[in-house]
Amino acid sequence: MARKTANDDPLAPVTLAVGQEDLLLDRAVQEVVAAAKAADADTDVRDLTPDQLQPGTLAELTSPSLFAERKVVVVRNAQDLSADTIKDVKAYLGAPAEEITLVLLHAGGAKGKGLLDAARKAGAREVACPKMTKPADRLAFVRGEFRTMGRSATPEACQALVDAIGSDLRELASAASQLVADVEGTIDEAVVGRYYTGRAEASSFTVADRAVEGRAAEALEALRWSLATGVAPVLITSALAQGVRAIGKLSSARGGRPADLARELGMPPWKIDRVRQQMRGWTPDGVSIALRAVAEADAGVKGGGDDPEYALEKAVVTIARAARSRGRG
């Protein structure tokens, strides 16, 4: 679970989310946005990447509004901002605007450390979002998920879930949420075993593997078989998300030996080799398209659509096409 400073008001003028755990970074943003919208349902949210925050942009976004609207400005990968834009942000930290919450997401390393130090010196509310590399940390995370949802799970069930799902926090969170939604009473090891071990786990990743390899027909066949045998749709969206994110991570990483990349990206060496084979044909635009498709499918299987099966089929086809985007270009 993300750790916070003593100043725990999500509507503090500046929130600094530090670390490289994507799920925790996203939750830090969601917490601020939810608090802002609770205070003002018409809150304007601007979610920006470094290339979208040019010198002068922050001043425009934070200038007084005729309607005095509440605004949340999210800056992702703040360590990658240009020198001139960092100057703008540092100047803003000295005199933040009313009714505006600035959220800076920073990886926490040496790059952009001056901005990190400036935000801390200015008294920013800080949320720690470190990578959970130790099994004990992931186990504590799962326990915290069940506690947050007000449900009881045995220690053996929590361990079984970590063993079955692995190190991806998004998948662990999705799995815990699915169990809470489907199971009454205390969640035990037997329940976890029925949901997340054996054939169901294997089949969901088969769907993902065929999709990211561009083999649409085989991916659809695996999808229909998985659904027919009772695999939870959320498991399939989690596997698709993991597959596409692995493509994106490896395609943006510098070349190197599998062992070195494994340490850098938090993947086992065997997976580096597999993803290298799968990523042929992918482009950055293809990864973006595929991630959007997964997000839409995830919303569809969690109640945002009328037909979860159609949502998954659409995502699988979109991902398979994206896997062949370089060849079509």
Side-chain angles (χ1 to χ4, degrees), residues 41-248:
D42 294 325
T43 295
D44 181 20
V45 179
R46 303 296 180 91
D47 198 322
L48 307 170
T49 55
D51 60 307
Q52 294 172 314
L53 194 67
Q54 299 298 319
T57 304
L58 184 62
E60 294 176 11
L61 292 173
T62 58
S63 60
S65 168
L66 178 64
F67 303 102
E69 65 181 351
R70 181 176 289 279
K71 187 178 294 185
V72 175
V73 178
V74 180
V75 180
R76 297 185 182 270
N77 298 312
Q79 72 278 357
D80 295 331
L81 292 171
S82 69
D84 288 338
T85 303
I86 287 177
K87 289 180 183 178
D88 288 352
V89 177
K90 287 182 176 179
Y92 177 81
L93 293 172
E98 293 185 11
E99 300 299 308
I100 292 178
T101 299
L102 175 65
V103 184
L104 299 174
L105 275 57
H106 194 292
K111 187 177 183 181
K113 189 173 183 298
L115 177 58
L116 192 63
D117 293 340
R120 286 169 171 162
K121 186 175 180 180
R125 167 182 178 260
E126 186 167 343
V127 182
C129 306
K131 274 285 185 187
M132 294 191 181
T133 57
K134 298 179 180 178
D137 292 338
R138 295 192 287 272
L139 184 59
F141 171 80
V142 169
R143 289 171 176 162
E145 289 294 288
F146 285 122
R147 276 197 305 272
T148 298
M149 291 182 283
R151 291 296 298 277
S152 175
T154 67
E156 294 79 10
C158 293
Q159 184 64 62
L161 194 60
V162 172
D163 291 343
I165 301 300
S167 61
D168 191 293
L169 252 59
R170 288 189 190 276
E171 291 187 33
L172 286 169
S174 294
S177 178
Q178 184 70 30
L179 288 169
V180 167
D182 288 358
V183 179
E184 296 182 358
T186 299
I187 296 165
D188 59 22
E189 187 177 8
V191 169
V192 175
R194 287 201 302 272
Y195 269 75
Y196 296 111
T197 58
R199 187 168 61 181
E201 181 185 8
S203 63
S204 63
F205 284 101
T206 298
V207 176
D209 284 341
R210 299 297 85 79
V212 300
E213 290 163 3
R215 296 154 67 178
E218 293 177 43
L220 287 171
E221 181 181 357
L223 171 64
R224 289 162 187 156
W225 182 87
S226 297
L227 293 173
T229 55
V231 177
V234 69
L235 264 186
I236 299 172
T237 55
S238 292
L240 290 170
Q242 182 174 333
V244 176
R245 284 200 300 271
I247 296 289

Side-chain angles (χ1 to χ4, degrees), residues 306-322:
D306 297 328
D307 190 343
E309 183 173 345
Y310 172 75
L312 286 168
E313 288 183 356
K314 181 179 177 183
V316 164
V317 170
T318 301
I319 293 168
R321 286 176 177 168

